[in-house]
Amino acid sequence: MAAHIRRRLRKGATTTAVAAAAVAALAASQAPAATLADGPAGGGDPKASGEDTASAEDDGAATGNSPYYTDLPPLVTPDKPGSSSKLPVTGSAEAGIPASILAAYKQAEQTVATTDPTCRLPWQLLAAIGKVESGQARGGRVDANGTTTSPILGPALNGQGFALIKDTDGGAYDSDAVHDRAVGPMQFIPSTWASWGQDANGDGRKDPNNIYDAALAAGRYLCANDRDLAIAADLDKAVLSYNRSNEYLRTVRSWFSYYQRGTHEIPDGTGTLPTTPSTPSPNPGPSTNPGPSTTPSPKPSPDKPGGKPTPGPSKPGDGSTSPKPKPPTSKPTPAETFGSLENAGTGPLRATAGQAFDERVAVLARNALGAPLGKVSVTFTVTGDTGTLFAGGKKTVTVRTGADGTATAPELRAGEKAGEFTVTAVAGTGRPRTLTYAATVTARQADTIARTDEKALVAAPGGKFADAVTVKATYKDAAAAGVAVTATMVKDPLGLFDNDKGPYFKDAAGKPVRTLTTLTTDAEGMLRLPEIFADGTEGTFRLRLTTEGGASVVIELTIQAPEETAPEGTTPEETAPKETETPEA
């Protein structure tokens, strides 16, 4: 009775309430299997035209539109997002989520965020669907591995108020070799589980009765078709793909909003069971009936003539005024659906100007199940002003992934300008996935620089050095072309201190300078320095040459006055000054 009163209050307080009256409650039975509705009837989605059969492919819903729970959240809600202080802990503890169930939802959110970050799957959506589908695995009745203590099975999808889905698994999942049934905490039908099933707990099995496996499968299913669940329209499409009913969408939405405002963890097995399954609909068969009723008011129960009214239909096609969304005419399988784009082990992208990069950009495409996906077109683009291009002189290339899901861009060749640039990889349509790689071009380098001769470099004060200074730069024993060289006059043998006296260069205006930074080696790695001049300071001075890459050499320069030479035909003794004799007194 309390449930009835609460729902009536809810209906008066909000337009999102689902008109429903109580039917048989789901018991937490320890029998081999517990169904969501007793008897052969149950909530379904027959065609409005009167058709009494539908295949899983035609309908396209994860649950085969099996019945679900229509209970709404409590009226008591937290004051702000993230708060759980005012949520009920005992009694009608609908807001509490059993520990293992909550952990499975959050793990699924984290896993999908890694493989398909643009989907932005919130765990609260999984919690809302899990609440509506199975009452959070019957209040958290799972073992230590997250597997339900007994299977959770929907009614047989035999066309009696439901779509007709004949057996697809030989009874392996649902113990029914005639018709399929929805299975497990997230209520997948076997044919859908065969495509979307996951092994999230690492036990080597894809078990729809395990909450970790089922939650991850539900997350990947909701993210299919490039959906972004942060967008309301995409979230609605995802929920309707689970069960094609607008009443179902409203119920899930109400719990989703509730869980977003806060929830709390409760021990496994202590959660409350929902009380109100959605209403089964009789198989209408061919009829001249003008159509569904224009109001969702209660109607006499089809299986209890003269009995009390039962809740109105909760699904399109069986009396609801809500239009039924049309399933897509051609829906790719999860194995064919592009899901994510990842780095396939590309290392640091660095190269010297004018050289080829050792690394090539590689990506890995995965399908909606997380497996490698081939034949995906990936476009690689170079962005930046270093002059770097792909082999063949292109800034943009497109490559398709192979059978292993990988695509590798052509070789990159660095431009002549040092600096940073990026390479982007884009794949997918509608909501493409993008990866960005940072890359660096460094200036040409030399690891050795040395003079090409050993002549002494001498100049007279105020004169200039007659012999030019010529050096050669190499990198890994090969000529280093285009390497920048800096020349500086220094004081000490190690070249640590600059000098302001002695030898000097001249700038374009003819003024003395003792540092040059615009020198570059030629194609053979050779560099001939400009003329060097001497001021009036005599002594031994030094010139330091350094290159990009750290190579350096220090060269001695001497400024001294020339020695006096004796006239031809004389000896040094004859030209030497003679002492003057002083006469004796």
Side-chain angles (χ1 to χ4, degrees):
M1 178 63 69
H4 294 287
I5 295 173
R6 183 178 69 250
R7 291 205 319 281
R8 285 197 293 269
L9 289 172
R10 183 70 172 178
K11 183 175 181 181
T14 174
T15 59
T16 60
V18 180
V23 293
L26 174 69
S29 171
Q30 297 301 314
T35 61
L36 295 181
D38 296 329
D45 190 18
K47 306 289 183 183
S49 63
E51 293 181 19
D52 58 359
T53 63
S55 68
E57 292 76 17
D58 290 338
D59 190 78
T63 65
N65 293 323
S66 292
Y68 55 91
Y69 290 107
T70 61
D71 293 44
L72 295 174
L75 294 177
V76 179
T77 59
D79 292 333
K80 59 184 179 180
S83 170
S84 59
S85 59
K86 293 187 178 182
L87 292 177
V89 178
T90 59
S92 58
E94 289 92 339
I97 301 179
S100 293
I101 313 304
L102 182 60
Y105 296 150
K106 292 185 175 181
Q107 177 178 298
E109 177 191 62
Q110 294 171 357
T111 300
V112 173
T114 300
T115 59
D116 188 3
T118 55
C119 174
R120 296 190 282 184
L121 169 73
W123 68 261
Q124 292 91 340
L125 180 59
L126 295 175
I129 291 175
K131 179 68 175 180
V132 170
E133 290 294 346
S134 68
Q136 309 297 19
R138 294 198 307 254
R141 288 165 175 78
V142 296
D143 62 21
N145 295 321
T147 302
T148 57
T149 53
S150 60
I152 302 175
L153 299 175
L157 299 176
N158 56 12
Q160 301 299 311
F162 312 102
L164 173 62
I165 304 180
K166 295 183 179 179
D167 176 64
T168 61
D169 66 330
Y173 293 122
D174 57 10
S175 301
D176 189 333
V178 180
H179 299 99
D180 273 349
R181 298 169 180 257
V183 181
M186 304 305 282
Q187 289 290 280
F188 280 97
I189 56 174
S191 58
T192 305
W193 184 259
S195 297
W196 292 91
Q198 302 287 306
D199 175 20
N201 65 348
D203 64 356
R205 299 177 59 229
K206 298 178 180 180
D207 185 359
N209 294 296
N210 181 275
I211 185 57
Y212 291 95
D213 294 357
L216 181 56
R220 295 200 188 284
Y221 183 90
L222 293 167
C223 288
N225 299 323
D226 292 335
R227 295 189 187 107
D228 180 353
L229 300 182
I231 298 174
D234 277 7
L235 187 143
D236 288 350
K237 290 177 183 178
V239 175
L240 287 170
S241 75
Y242 220 87
N243 191 310
R244 298 191 178 280
S245 161
N246 284 342
E247 296 294 349
Y248 178 86
L249 172 61
R250 283 191 284 271
T251 306
V252 170
R253 272 281 195 177
S254 67
W255 281 105
F256 176 52
S257 297
Y258 190 76
Y259 288 137
Q260 281 185 311
R261 294 183 59 82
T263 186
H264 60 275
E265 177 184 302
I266 60 176
D268 288 348
T270 64
T272 59
L273 291 173
T275 58
T276 313
S278 58
T279 307
S281 172
N283 183 350
S287 172
T288 58
N289 190 301
S293 169
T294 58
T295 61
S297 58
K299 59 184 180 180
S301 170
D303 54 349
K304 295 181 181 180
K308 294 182 179 181
T310 59
S314 64
K315 299 185 179 183
D318 58 0
S320 170
T321 58
S322 302
K324 178 181 177 180
K326 294 182 179 180
T329 56
S330 178
K331 182 178 180 181
T333 66
E336 298 171 333
T337 302
F338 175 54
S340 64
L341 193 66
E342 304 172 11
N343 184 359
T346 305
L349 295 172
R350 290 191 292 266
T352 302
Q355 303 299 313
F357 282 76
D358 292 334
E359 284 284 329
R360 293 170 63 182
V361 179
V363 298
L364 170 63
R366 295 185 182 276
N367 61 20
L369 301 176
L373 181 63
K375 298 182 179 179
V376 175
S377 293
V378 183
T379 299
F380 299 92
T381 303
V382 174
T383 303
D385 61 355
T386 64
T388 301
L389 298 170
F390 290 112
K394 297 180 179 180
K395 293 191 71 172
T396 299
V397 294
T398 300
V399 181
R400 299 186 75 183
T401 59
D404 62 352
T406 63
T408 303
E411 180 183 69
L412 282 166
R413 180 164 291 275
E416 290 298 330
K417 183 178 179 181
E420 296 181 348
F421 68 97
T422 60
V423 179
T424 57
V426 181
T429 58
R431 188 164 53 87
R433 276 61 162 177
T434 302
L435 292 178
T436 301
Y437 299 81
T440 303
V441 176
T442 58
R444 293 176 181 265
Q445 300 179 7
D447 53 21
T448 304
I449 186 170
R451 284 189 66 190
T452 58
D453 60 58
E454 297 180 357
K455 290 181 180 180
L457 300 169
V458 182
K464 68 177 180 180
F465 291 83
D467 295 312
V469 176
T470 304
V471 295
K472 181 175 183 178
T474 58
Y475 182 70
K476 296 182 179 179
D477 297 327
V483 174
V485 179
T486 299
T488 305
M489 298 299 174
V490 293
K491 294 180 179 179
D492 59 298
L494 296 178
L496 300 178
F497 302 98
D498 294 356
N499 201 348
D500 57 357
K501 295 180 181 179
Y504 62 88
F505 303 102
K506 288 183 178 181
D507 64 13
K511 295 181 179 180
V513 293
R514 288 184 167 84
T515 299
L516 294 178
T517 59
T518 57
L519 306 173
T520 305
T521 60
D522 63 16
E524 301 299 325
M526 304 293 289
L527 172 63
R528 181 186 177 93
L529 270 63
E531 288 184 313
I532 303 174
F533 300 87
D535 65 8
T537 307
E538 294 190 54
T540 300
F541 303 90
R542 293 168 181 85
L543 168 65
R544 182 187 65 208
L545 302 176
T546 58
T547 72
E548 289 286 346
S552 66
V553 63
V554 177
I555 301 169
E556 283 194 355
L557 301 171
T558 302
I559 299 177
Q560 66 179 26
E563 295 182 0
E564 294 184 9
T565 57
E568 193 172 332
T570 63
T571 65
E573 291 79 6
E574 294 175 329
T575 59
K578 295 181 180 181
E579 294 182 1
T580 303
E581 294 182 1
T582 303
E584 296 181 0

